[in-house]
Amino acid sequence: MKELLLRFHASEQQAGRSLREVLQKDYEISRKLLIRAKFSGEIQINGELAFVTRIVEAGDIITIWMDEEESENLEPEAMDLQIRYEDEDVLVLAKPPGIVVHPTGMHVTGTLANGVIHYWQQKGERRKFRPVSRLDKDTTGLIIIAKNQWAHDRFSRMQKNRSLKRRYQALVHGRVTPQSGVIDAPIGRKEESIIEREVRPDGQQAVTHYQVLKSTDDLSHIQLQLETGRTHQIRVHMSYLGYPLLGDDLYGGRRELIGRQALHAFELRFQHPRTGEEICLTEPLPEDMQKIVECSE
């Protein structure tokens, strides 16, 4: 069974160019995906099979059909998914704390991937699980899942050109000063640890913007935006400044107020990979973080 990956009418500006050029430059279809479409699908112009060398004419109806994907070897598990947005290309979920995004050696089942695969199977869809970004096990908030390879490729480009915007909120120990700033400090793996990261001169570039929303002598409620997406970036950077996240005992935080790192992905902003429409989604603070904010007022 085949599913429609892409359909559009060729414009005057696209006329006179090869189909390959239009697909790769205008729709950012990778060479790998184009080859897959050729051998595991159909590329059509006006309902007829077409070679990618064919010259496009204005008004041509171009469609790409793909064979349904084989589901990954993941155990489907029923899960109460908090769906915030879904269409043919994109699935956005609000992740609760304590859930791993993708199976690992230590977490083979009970992951977000297991729940999403079950959800798709219940809808009669066969797809691979393609998270656009990852959230740590105990970090809450919005996460994007691309529903096909083309959408995932386009999101990857957005990440590289930094047009995919993600904003977080966190609760940290101490009164953060100054009220706003940019942390530009490279992050690398800590020696003799497979989990912990640290700021180190030989690390990868990592840039975090922060702004204080509220603060007391004991804690601050802050908002953050990432330019880069290094593992544990916010947790490492705030600890490096001397303001570790509440509950983040891996990086110096204490757990008397909350039993996990107090970090929440509250906003996503991106251009839809197919329509170009700007999508902006927000997710309120989870109950455990909201209670701390209210008690500190």
Side-chain angles (χ1 to χ4, degrees):
M1 185 176 176
K2 289 181 168 47
E3 62 176 345
L4 181 64
L5 181 70
L6 187 63
R7 182 181 190 277
F8 65 94
H9 286 74
S11 66
E12 293 284 350
Q13 290 75 25
Q14 292 167 335
R17 298 160 60 193
S18 71
L19 181 55
R20 177 191 285 113
E21 181 185 352
V22 170
L23 293 175
Q24 291 186 323
K25 291 189 175 181
D26 295 4
Y27 292 89
E28 297 182 344
I29 292 183
S30 66
R31 182 174 178 274
K32 180 179 178 181
L33 185 56
L34 205 56
I35 292 173
R36 187 174 149 226
K38 179 179 178 182
F39 292 102
S40 300
E42 292 182 1
I43 302 174
Q44 299 178 351
I45 293 182
N46 302 324
E48 298 179 352
L49 292 177
F51 292 108
V52 293
T53 53
R54 179 165 163 178
I55 300 302
V56 172
E57 297 180 8
D60 280 345
I61 301 173
I62 298 170
T63 53
I64 299 180
W65 297 84
M66 301 289 289
D67 287 346
E68 277 193 333
E69 295 184 303
E70 291 293 331
S71 297
E72 294 174 278
N73 188 26
L74 294 173
E75 185 69 29
E77 297 178 51
M79 191 176 293
D80 182 21
L81 298 177
Q82 303 299 309
I83 298 172
R84 298 296 182 256
Y85 179 90
E86 185 177 14
D87 60 26
E88 59 192 322
D89 299 304
V90 184
L91 174 66
V92 178
L93 304 175
K95 189 183 88 64
I99 300 291
V100 174
V101 172
H102 202 282
T104 65
M106 297 178 61
H107 301 91
V108 180
T109 60
T111 72
L112 204 62
N114 299 106
V116 170
I117 292 297
H118 178 271
Y119 167 69
W120 282 336
Q121 286 188 0
Q122 293 299 108
K123 294 176 65 180
E125 299 177 7
R126 296 166 61 186
R127 301 184 183 276
K128 291 185 177 180
F129 182 74
R130 293 186 173 95
V132 172
S133 57
R134 305 294 178 96
L135 295 177
D136 295 336
K137 176 184 175 184
D138 287 325
T139 298
T140 57
L142 298 171
I143 182 170
I144 304 172
I145 314 297
K147 294 181 67 173
N148 55 63
Q149 182 64 57
W150 174 69
H152 191 269
D153 289 348
R154 300 209 69 168
F155 275 119
S156 295
R157 291 174 188 264
M158 292 180 211
Q159 288 178 306
K160 288 178 181 177
N161 64 29
R162 299 179 180 177
S163 61
L164 171 57
K165 305 296 184 182
R166 294 171 290 162
R167 292 205 291 174
Y168 297 76
Q169 290 187 13
L171 303 177
V172 301
H173 292 286
R175 184 185 292 273
V176 176
T177 55
Q179 289 285 298
S180 62
V182 180
I183 312 165
D184 188 348
I187 292 175
R189 191 188 300 273
K190 193 171 185 178
E191 291 183 11
E192 301 179 358
S193 175
I194 61 172
I195 299 174
E196 201 170 350
R197 266 64 174 177
E198 64 180 353
V199 170
R200 50 188 303 153
D202 61 347
Q204 294 178 296
Q205 183 191 27
V207 181
T208 304
H209 299 254
Y210 77 86
Q211 180 179 358
V212 176
L213 300 177
K214 294 180 181 178
S215 61
T216 66
D217 289 339
D218 298 322
L219 65 88
S220 298
H221 178 197
I222 62 174
Q223 185 169 288
L224 308 107
Q225 183 165 320
L226 303 180
E227 282 193 29
T228 53
R230 308 304 174 203
T231 299
H232 297 178
Q233 179 170 320
I234 290 173
R235 300 165 64 187
V236 172
H237 271 172
M238 295 312 300
S239 178
Y240 173 70
L241 289 189
Y243 308 107
L245 272 63
L246 270 62
D248 191 4
D249 54 3
L250 183 64
Y251 293 108
R254 301 188 301 277
R255 291 199 164 203
E256 62 263 29
L257 294 179
I258 189 170
R260 65 176 182 93
Q261 69 260 15
L263 182 59
H264 177 67
F266 85 96
E267 183 181 275
L268 282 173
R269 188 184 298 270
F270 58 90
Q271 280 195 317
H272 192 280
R274 186 178 298 268
T275 66
E277 175 190 2
E278 182 171 86
I279 305 293
C280 182
L281 301 169
T282 58
E283 182 70 14
L285 281 177
E287 184 177 357
D288 56 357
M289 290 179 64
Q290 185 61 38
K291 283 184 177 179
I292 296 172
V293 171
E294 291 172 355
C295 289
S296 67
E297 293 177 347

